[in-house]
Coordinates of all heavy atoms in Angstrom, one line a residue:
S151 N 42.6 5.5 -26.5 CA 42.6 4.6 -27.7 C 41.5 3.5 -27.5 O 41.3 3.1 -26.3 CB 43.9 4.0 -28.0 OG 43.8 3.0 -28.9
N152 N 40.8 3.1 -28.5 CA 39.8 2.1 -28.5 C 40.5 0.8 -28.7 O 39.9 -0.3 -28.6 CB 38.7 2.2 -29.6 CG 39.2 2.2 -31.0 OD1 40.5 2.2 -31.2 ND2 38.4 2.1 -31.9
T153 N 41.9 0.7 -28.9 CA 42.5 -0.6 -29.1 C 42.6 -1.4 -27.8 O 42.7 -2.6 -27.9 CB 44.0 -0.4 -29.6 OG1 44.7 0.4 -28.7 CG2 44.0 0.3 -31.0
Y154 N 42.5 -0.7 -26.7 CA 42.6 -1.6 -25.5 C 41.3 -2.5 -25.4 O 41.4 -3.7 -24.9 CB 42.6 -0.7 -24.2 CG 43.6 0.5 -24.3 CD1 43.3 1.8 -24.0 CD2 45.0 0.2 -24.6 CE1 44.2 2.8 -24.1 CE2 45.9 1.2 -24.7 CZ 45.6 2.6 -24.5 OH 46.5 3.5 -24.6
M155 N 40.2 -2.0 -25.7 CA 39.0 -2.9 -25.7 C 39.0 -3.8 -26.9 O 38.7 -5.0 -26.7 CB 37.7 -2.0 -25.8 CG 36.5 -2.9 -25.7 SD 34.9 -2.0 -25.4 CE 35.1 -1.7 -23.6
K156 N 39.4 -3.5 -28.1 CA 39.6 -4.4 -29.2 C 40.6 -5.5 -28.8 O 40.3 -6.8 -29.2 CB 40.2 -3.6 -30.4 CG 39.3 -2.6 -30.9 CD 39.9 -1.7 -32.0 CE 40.5 -2.4 -33.2 NZ 41.0 -1.4 -34.2
N157 N 41.6 -5.2 -28.2 CA 42.6 -6.3 -27.8 C 42.0 -7.3 -26.7 O 42.4 -8.4 -26.7 CB 43.8 -5.7 -27.2 CG 44.7 -5.0 -28.2 OD1 44.5 -5.2 -29.5 ND2 45.5 -4.0 -27.9
A158 N 41.1 -6.8 -25.9 CA 40.5 -7.6 -24.8 C 39.3 -8.5 -25.5 O 38.8 -9.4 -24.8 CB 39.9 -6.7 -23.8
I159 N 38.9 -8.3 -26.7 CA 37.9 -9.0 -27.4 C 36.5 -8.7 -26.9 O 35.5 -8.4 -27.6 CB 38.3 -10.5 -27.4 CG1 39.7 -10.7 -28.0 CG2 37.2 -11.2 -28.3 CD1 39.9 -10.3 -29.3
A160 N 36.3 -8.9 -25.6 CA 34.9 -8.8 -25.0 C 34.3 -7.4 -25.1 O 35.1 -6.5 -24.9 CB 35.1 -9.2 -23.5
P161 N 33.1 -7.3 -25.5 CA 32.4 -6.0 -25.5 C 32.1 -5.5 -24.0 O 32.1 -6.1 -23.1 CB 31.2 -6.2 -26.2 CG 30.8 -7.7 -25.9 CD 32.1 -8.4 -25.7
D162 N 31.8 -4.2 -24.1 CA 31.2 -3.6 -22.8 C 29.8 -4.0 -22.7 O 29.0 -3.9 -23.7 CB 31.3 -2.0 -23.1 CG 30.8 -1.2 -21.9 OD1 30.2 -1.8 -21.0 OD2 30.8 0.1 -22.0
L163 N 29.4 -4.4 -21.5 CA 28.0 -5.0 -21.4 C 27.2 -4.1 -20.4 O 27.8 -3.8 -19.3 CB 28.1 -6.4 -20.8 CG 28.8 -7.4 -21.7 CD1 28.9 -8.8 -21.0 CD2 28.1 -7.5 -23.0
F164 N 25.9 -3.8 -20.7 CA 25.1 -3.0 -19.9 C 23.7 -3.6 -19.7 O 23.2 -4.2 -20.7 CB 25.0 -1.6 -20.6 CG 23.9 -0.7 -19.9 CD1 24.3 0.1 -18.7 CD2 22.6 -0.8 -20.2 CE1 23.4 0.9 -18.1 CE2 21.7 0.0 -19.5 CZ 22.0 0.8 -18.5
V165 N 23.2 -3.4 -18.5 CA 21.8 -3.9 -18.3 C 21.1 -2.9 -17.3 O 21.8 -2.3 -16.4 CB 21.7 -5.3 -17.7 CG1 22.3 -5.4 -16.3 CG2 20.2 -5.8 -17.6
G166 N 19.9 -2.4 -17.7 CA 19.2 -1.5 -16.9 C 17.7 -1.6 -16.9 O 17.1 -2.2 -17.8
L167 N 17.1 -1.0 -15.8 CA 15.5 -1.0 -15.7 C 15.1 0.4 -15.6 O 15.9 1.3 -14.9 CB 15.2 -1.8 -14.4 CG 15.1 -3.3 -14.5 CD1 14.9 -3.9 -13.1 CD2 14.0 -3.7 -15.4
E168 N 14.1 0.8 -16.3 CA 13.5 2.1 -16.1 C 12.0 2.1 -16.0 O 11.3 1.3 -16.8 CB 13.8 3.0 -17.4 CG 13.4 4.4 -17.4 CD 13.9 5.3 -18.5 OE1 15.0 5.7 -18.5 OE2 13.2 5.5 -19.5
N169 N 11.5 2.9 -15.1 CA 10.0 3.0 -15.0 C 9.7 4.4 -15.2 O 10.1 5.4 -14.6 CB 9.7 2.7 -13.5 CG 8.2 2.4 -13.3 OD1 7.6 1.5 -13.8 ND2 7.5 3.4 -12.7
K170 N 8.7 4.6 -16.2 CA 8.3 6.0 -16.7 C 6.8 6.1 -16.6 O 6.1 5.4 -17.1 CB 8.9 6.2 -18.0 CG 8.6 7.6 -18.5 CD 9.4 7.9 -19.8 CE 9.4 9.3 -20.2 NZ 10.0 9.5 -21.5
T171 N 6.4 7.2 -15.8 CA 5.0 7.5 -15.7 C 4.8 8.9 -16.3 O 5.7 9.5 -16.8 CB 4.5 7.4 -14.2 OG1 5.2 8.4 -13.4 CG2 4.7 6.1 -13.7
K172 N 3.6 9.5 -16.0 CA 3.4 10.8 -16.5 C 4.4 11.8 -16.0 O 4.8 12.7 -16.8 CB 1.9 11.2 -16.2 CG 1.5 12.6 -16.7 CD 0.0 13.0 -16.3 CE -0.3 14.4 -16.8 NZ -1.7 14.8 -16.4
H173 N 4.6 11.8 -14.7 CA 5.5 12.9 -14.1 C 6.9 12.3 -13.7 O 7.8 13.2 -13.8 CB 4.8 13.4 -12.9 CG 3.5 14.2 -13.2 ND1 3.5 15.3 -13.9 CD2 2.3 13.9 -12.8 CE1 2.3 15.8 -14.1 NE2 1.5 15.0 -13.3
W174 N 7.0 11.1 -13.5 CA 8.2 10.5 -13.0 C 9.0 9.6 -13.9 O 8.3 8.8 -14.7 CB 8.0 9.7 -11.7 CG 7.8 10.5 -10.5 CD1 6.4 11.0 -10.0 CD2 8.7 11.1 -9.6 NE1 6.7 11.7 -8.8 CE2 7.9 11.9 -8.6 CE3 10.0 11.2 -9.6 CZ2 8.6 12.5 -7.6 CZ3 10.7 11.8 -8.6 CH2 10.0 12.5 -7.6
T175 N 10.3 9.6 -14.0 CA 11.1 8.7 -14.6 C 12.2 8.2 -13.6 O 13.0 9.1 -13.1 CB 11.9 9.2 -15.8 OG1 10.9 9.8 -16.7 CG2 12.8 8.2 -16.5
L176 N 12.2 6.9 -13.3 CA 13.1 6.3 -12.3 C 13.9 5.2 -13.1 O 13.3 4.4 -13.7 CB 12.4 5.8 -11.1 CG 11.6 6.8 -10.3 CD1 10.6 6.1 -9.3 CD2 12.4 7.9 -9.7
G177 N 15.2 5.2 -12.8 CA 16.0 4.0 -13.5 C 17.2 3.7 -12.7 O 17.8 4.6 -11.9
V178 N 17.7 2.5 -12.9 CA 19.0 2.0 -12.5 C 19.7 1.2 -13.5 O 19.1 0.7 -14.6 CB 18.8 1.1 -11.3 CG1 18.3 1.9 -10.1 CG2 17.9 -0.1 -11.6
G179 N 21.1 1.1 -13.6 CA 21.8 0.5 -14.6 C 23.1 0.0 -14.1 O 23.7 0.6 -13.2
A180 N 23.6 -1.0 -14.8 CA 25.0 -1.5 -14.3 C 25.8 -1.9 -15.7 O 25.2 -2.2 -16.7 CB 24.9 -2.8 -13.5
D181 N 27.1 -1.6 -15.7 CA 27.9 -1.7 -16.8 C 29.2 -2.4 -16.5 O 29.8 -2.2 -15.4 CB 28.2 -0.4 -17.3 CG 28.9 -0.3 -18.7 OD1 28.3 -0.6 -19.7 OD2 30.2 -0.1 -18.7
L182 N 29.6 -3.3 -17.3 CA 30.9 -4.1 -17.0 C 31.7 -4.0 -18.4 O 31.3 -4.4 -19.4 CB 30.6 -5.5 -16.7 CG 31.9 -6.5 -16.6 CD1 32.7 -6.0 -15.4 CD2 31.4 -7.8 -16.4
K183 N 32.9 -3.5 -18.3 CA 33.8 -3.5 -19.4 C 35.2 -4.1 -19.0 O 35.6 -4.0 -17.9 CB 34.0 -2.1 -20.0 CG 34.7 -1.1 -19.2 CD 34.9 0.3 -19.9 CE 35.7 1.2 -19.0 NZ 34.8 1.9 -18.0
T184 N 35.9 -4.7 -20.1 CA 37.2 -5.2 -19.8 C 38.1 -4.7 -20.9 O 37.8 -4.6 -22.1 CB 37.1 -6.8 -20.0 OG1 36.2 -7.2 -18.9 CG2 38.5 -7.4 -19.8
I185 N 39.3 -4.2 -20.5 CA 40.3 -3.9 -21.6 C 41.7 -4.5 -21.3 O 41.9 -5.0 -20.2 CB 40.4 -2.2 -21.5 CG1 41.0 -1.8 -20.1 CG2 39.2 -1.5 -21.8 CD1 41.4 -0.4 -20.0
K186 N 42.4 -4.5 -22.4 CA 43.7 -5.1 -22.2 C 44.7 -3.9 -22.7 O 44.9 -3.7 -23.9 CB 43.9 -6.3 -23.3 CG 45.2 -7.0 -23.2 CD 45.1 -8.2 -24.2 CE 46.4 -9.0 -24.1 NZ 46.4 -10.1 -25.1
P187 N 45.4 -3.3 -21.7 CA 46.1 -2.0 -22.1 C 47.3 -2.4 -23.0 O 47.7 -1.4 -23.7 CB 46.5 -1.5 -20.7 CG 45.5 -2.1 -19.7 CD 45.2 -3.4 -20.3
E188 N 48.0 -3.5 -22.7 CA 49.2 -3.7 -23.6 C 49.1 -5.0 -24.4 O 48.8 -6.1 -23.9 CB 50.4 -3.9 -22.6 CG 50.7 -2.7 -21.8 CD 52.0 -2.8 -21.0 OE1 52.8 -3.8 -21.1 OE2 52.2 -1.9 -20.1
P189 N 49.1 -4.9 -25.7 CA 48.7 -6.1 -26.6 C 49.5 -7.3 -26.4 O 49.1 -8.4 -26.7 CB 48.9 -5.5 -28.1 CG 49.9 -4.2 -27.8 CD 49.6 -3.7 -26.5
L190 N 50.9 -7.1 -26.0 CA 51.7 -8.3 -25.8 C 51.8 -8.8 -24.4 O 52.6 -9.6 -24.1 CB 53.1 -8.0 -26.3 CG 53.3 -7.6 -27.9 CD1 54.7 -7.3 -28.2 CD2 52.7 -8.6 -28.7
N191 N 50.8 -8.3 -23.6 CA 50.8 -8.7 -22.2 C 49.4 -9.3 -22.0 O 48.4 -8.6 -22.4 CB 51.1 -7.4 -21.3 CG 51.2 -7.8 -19.9 OD1 50.7 -8.7 -19.4 ND2 52.1 -7.1 -19.2
D192 N 49.3 -10.3 -21.2 CA 48.0 -11.0 -21.0 C 47.2 -10.4 -19.9 O 46.0 -10.6 -19.7 CB 48.2 -12.5 -20.5 CG 48.7 -13.4 -21.8 OD1 48.4 -12.9 -22.9 OD2 49.4 -14.3 -21.4
A193 N 47.7 -9.3 -19.2 CA 47.0 -8.7 -18.1 C 45.9 -8.0 -18.6 O 46.1 -7.1 -19.5 CB 47.9 -7.8 -17.4
T194 N 44.7 -8.1 -18.1 CA 43.5 -7.3 -18.4 C 42.9 -6.6 -17.2 O 43.4 -7.0 -16.1 CB 42.4 -8.1 -19.1 OG1 41.9 -9.1 -18.1 CG2 43.0 -8.9 -20.4
I195 N 42.0 -5.8 -17.3 CA 41.3 -5.2 -16.1 C 39.8 -5.0 -16.4 O 39.4 -4.5 -17.6 CB 41.9 -3.8 -15.7 CG1 41.1 -3.3 -14.5 CG2 42.0 -2.8 -16.9 CD1 41.9 -2.0 -13.7

């Protein structure tokens, strides 16, 4: 369900770097997401 992220309010955040030449594509990225599994419980992950 997408309600776990909706209940946590905060969006999934991503940042990445990519270097692309004629023959090579190299990249790295990092992603952080927060969800709230139970709507009546304050615990998030």
Side-chain angles (χ1 to χ4, degrees):
S151 175
N152 65 348
T153 59
Y154 310 131
M155 181 168 284
K156 289 166 66 176
N157 292 336
I159 308 299
D162 177 357
L163 300 174
F164 174 89
V165 62
L167 281 170
E168 182 173 280
N169 192 71
K170 189 171 184 178
T171 61
K172 181 180 179 180
H173 296 297
W174 284 96
T175 301
L176 304 171
V178 293
D181 186 79
L182 176 67
K183 69 172 178 284
T184 300
I185 61 173
K186 185 179 181 182
E188 297 184 10
L190 301 181
N191 191 323
D192 291 334
T194 62
I195 179 168

